[in-house]
Amino acid sequence: MTGLIRSWIGAANEADCPFPLNNLPYGVFSAGDEEPRCGVAIGDRVLDLAALQSAGLVPDHGFASPALNPFMGAGPQAWAQVRRTLTDLLRVGHETDAVRAALHDRAAVTLHLPFHVAEYTDFYAGRHHAFNVGSMFRGPENALPPNWLHMPIGYNGRASSVVVSGTDIHRPLGQTKAPEAQMPGFGPCARLDIELELGAVVGMPSQMGRPVSVDEADAMIFGYVLLNDWSARDVQVWEYQPLGPFQAKAFATTISPWVVTGAALEPFRCASPPREKELLPYIRDTGPMLYDIDLSVSMAPQGCIPTVLSRTNAKALYYSAAQQLAHHASSGCAMRTGDLLGSGTISGPEEGTHGSLLEMTWGGRHPITLDCGRVRTFIEDGDTLALHGHATGDGYRIGFGPCSGTILPAMTFP
Ligand code: MN
């Protein structure tokens, strides 16, 4: 494994910095009242790619636009070329006035949604999560649905619901029915939850009618974000049969502000777990396509310090993003630049490794006592939930930046 690539920006060389020169994640930022444009995180700075483009230091990939989509659609050769150029410009000993002039303090800029989300699909590719939730609802012997070990199952979500980290979320309203109740009711969700997921961001599109192989799918993926698929459990349990999640998942999905590229994660590839049933050829593993990324969830009631609720790892997934994408396109479904694929909740097998409150509290039966002394089963108004993630290299880490949101009280009808 390669070690830290040293930069002339000192903060980028610190071992716990999420954004060393090895990372170079892309995002969209604004400074003061200027227009949002594309940038790259390095150390404690953001490098303005629109300014570098104007200066002729990087090719024109639409970096002055408020979304990464033009660059994402330019394809793997363009991604590799820009990465090489940025690595050269920022490498120790290569300091220039032109690049120095394009740097902003990261703490002083506003981060926006990094790309226009074309469509959003959410999968269910974490085996331990599927088993835990299935056990709760159907018992351990029927926990996994019969299709689960044969394909990554998912549903089509709402691109309009995807927001960047730091966006406040109103508690959703919805229809619910207690098992013993005669009639359903309508009101604020009472069992509001998170789902700790990894989001894959599609760069290269595919043609309608044409399936893609797992290797092609892997090459189409531009990068990854942390993704919190906020979930209204009481709404979900009443509405989900027979067509799956609908309003329970349609109110908000939060993503981290930086897209970490496949190139940055390349040293952290790892193999999928042993296959209990042999996969059909079109989604069979062709090499290591999961990533070794440490993940955690924290919760902070208003005015309280955060408590880490759970720690897990992205290698606990059963299907890779490439397998999810290949399955998605296999019917002939056209995939578009800016498609976002949620992995499904990432949980490990043991207590302390769960990616949802539903599992941590086992359906609300075992409340959690936070470090500040407050007790929670599900999320209360004013609570801030945050996901964190990083891969650990030799003397450096590849971080994502936080994926965080605060819950506000439900809105009422006008
Ligand atoms: Mn989900």
Side-chain angles (χ1 to χ4, degrees), residues 122 195 197 229 249:
D122 195 34
E195 291 195 336
E197 305 193 16
D229 179 31
K249 308 273 194 169

Side-chain angles (χ1 to χ4, degrees), residues 90-354:
L90 293 165
R91 198 186 287 271
V92 71
H94 291 213
E95 185 170 354
T96 58
D97 289 342
V99 174
R100 181 166 282 286
L103 290 171
H104 296 260
D105 277 340
R106 184 155 48 82
V109 303
T110 303
L111 297 174
H112 304 268
L113 201 60
F115 57 98
H116 170 71
V117 182
E119 304 198 43
Y120 165 45
T121 306
D122 195 34
F123 284 88
Y124 192 50
R127 178 165 188 173
H128 304 296
H129 173 74
F131 180 82
N132 289 339
V133 173
S135 300
M136 255 178 261
F137 292 130
R138 291 180 295 274
E141 45 307 315
N142 301 309
L144 286 184
N147 53 11
W148 203 94
L149 291 169
H150 298 283
M151 63 179 166
I153 57 179
Y155 65 93
N156 288 303
R158 292 286 303 174
S160 68
S161 73
V162 180
V163 296
V164 72
S165 177
T167 306
D168 291 340
I169 311 293
H170 283 280
R171 178 176 297 276
L173 294 164
Q175 190 179 125
T176 58
K177 184 185 160 302
E180 64 285 359
Q182 289 246 303
M183 283 285 289
F186 183 86
C189 163
R191 289 162 73 94
L192 182 56
D193 198 356
I194 54 149
E195 291 195 336
L196 165 60
E197 305 193 16
L198 195 64
V201 181
V202 175
M204 292 298 283
S206 71
Q207 263 174 41
M208 188 171 180
R210 183 188 175 279
V212 300
S213 69
V214 171
D215 287 331
E216 284 176 301
D218 192 57
M220 285 164 64
I221 296 170
F222 174 69
Y224 295 84
V225 290
L226 302 179
L227 184 151
N228 179 0
D229 179 31
W230 301 92
S231 299
R233 299 297 181 200
D234 44 354
V235 175
Q236 184 179 356
V237 75
W238 170 231
E239 75 171 1
Y240 87 104
Q241 299 194 68
L243 290 184
F246 187 42
Q247 294 302 302
K249 308 273 194 169
F251 60 96
T253 298
T254 302
I255 62 170
S256 52
W258 297 107
V259 183
V260 175
T261 61
L265 290 171
E266 191 61 32
F268 307 100
R269 279 182 184 267
C270 51
S272 1
R275 301 304 175 181
E276 198 170 309
K277 308 265 190 196
E278 193 182 13
L279 293 172
L280 293 169
Y282 79 104
I283 47 167
R284 208 166 278 165
D285 296 278
T286 58
M289 288 191 185
L290 292 177
Y291 295 102
D292 181 355
I293 303 169
D294 288 317
L295 301 165
S296 66
V297 184
S298 68
M299 180 187 244
Q302 201 163 15
C304 296
I305 50 152
T307 300
V308 176
L309 300 179
S310 171
R311 293 181 196 280
T312 182
N313 191 293
K315 66 186 175 190
L317 287 166
Y318 192 80
Y319 295 105
S320 65
Q323 286 169 317
Q324 294 163 34
L325 182 53
H327 179 62
H328 209 325
S330 66
S331 62
C333 175
M335 303 309 299
R336 301 159 74 182
T337 299
D339 277 353
L340 175 64
L341 310 184
S343 62
T345 309
I346 305 173
S347 291
E350 310 98 20
E351 218 174 291
T353 64
H354 295 150

Side-chain angles (χ1 to χ4, degrees), residues 340-378:
L340 175 64
L341 310 184
S343 62
T345 309
I346 305 173
S347 291
E350 310 98 20
E351 218 174 291
T353 64
H354 295 150
S356 70
L357 292 167
L358 184 70
E359 294 163 272
M360 292 178 212
T361 66
W362 209 254
R365 287 197 282 279
H366 305 297
I368 300 163
T369 301
L370 305 176
D371 294 346
C372 59
R374 310 277 180 89
V375 176
R376 289 289 185 273
T377 46
F378 290 95

